[in-house]
Amino acid sequence: KYSAHPSKIKVGILTMTTGNLAFLGENIVNSAKLAAQQLGREGDVEFIVEDVGNLEVQGTKSVAAARKLIDIDHVQFIIDGMASNGTL
């Protein structure tokens, strides 16, 4: 059904926003926002950022964060891949 006000595209970002690699996570979030801006789509995209913590607990936190993004936030896309612990 066509809507005059289509809903935003929900994009989940699994990255480190705390811990020893937080600076990398900030770069991922900023890069995603810049890409939307460069494509002229910043008003069409909603980014939902989930912190996967530092390397020691990243695997466990990544699974929980991904489940939240999928089951609760209903994102259409997930950006991930900063560190192998979280990706695996």
Side-chain angles (χ1 to χ4, degrees):
K1 179 179 173 181
Y2 176 76
S3 171
H5 302 287
S7 59
K8 291 186 177 188
I9 299 167
K10 289 186 173 184
V11 178
I13 302 176
L14 294 174
T15 193
M16 300 79 62
T17 59
T18 59
N20 54 351
L21 297 177
F23 69 97
L24 294 174
E26 290 174 23
N27 287 339
I28 292 298
V29 173
N30 290 336
S31 295
K33 290 178 179 179
L34 179 62
Q37 180 184 15
Q38 291 293 313
L39 294 170
R41 304 300 299 256
E42 63 225 297
D44 300 332
V45 180
E46 176 185 354
F47 293 105
I48 301 170
V49 179
E50 287 294 323
D51 180 25
V52 295
N54 57 33
L55 292 176
E56 291 80 31
V57 296
Q58 197 174 65
T60 305
K61 283 187 133 182
S62 293
V63 171
R67 293 285 6 135
K68 179 193 172 287
L69 288 173
I70 295 166
D71 296 335
I72 296 172
D73 297 317
H74 305 289
V75 298
Q76 289 121 326
F77 303 98
I78 295 179
I79 297 172
D80 183 35
M82 276 306 301
S84 58
N85 288 354
T87 302
L88 292 174

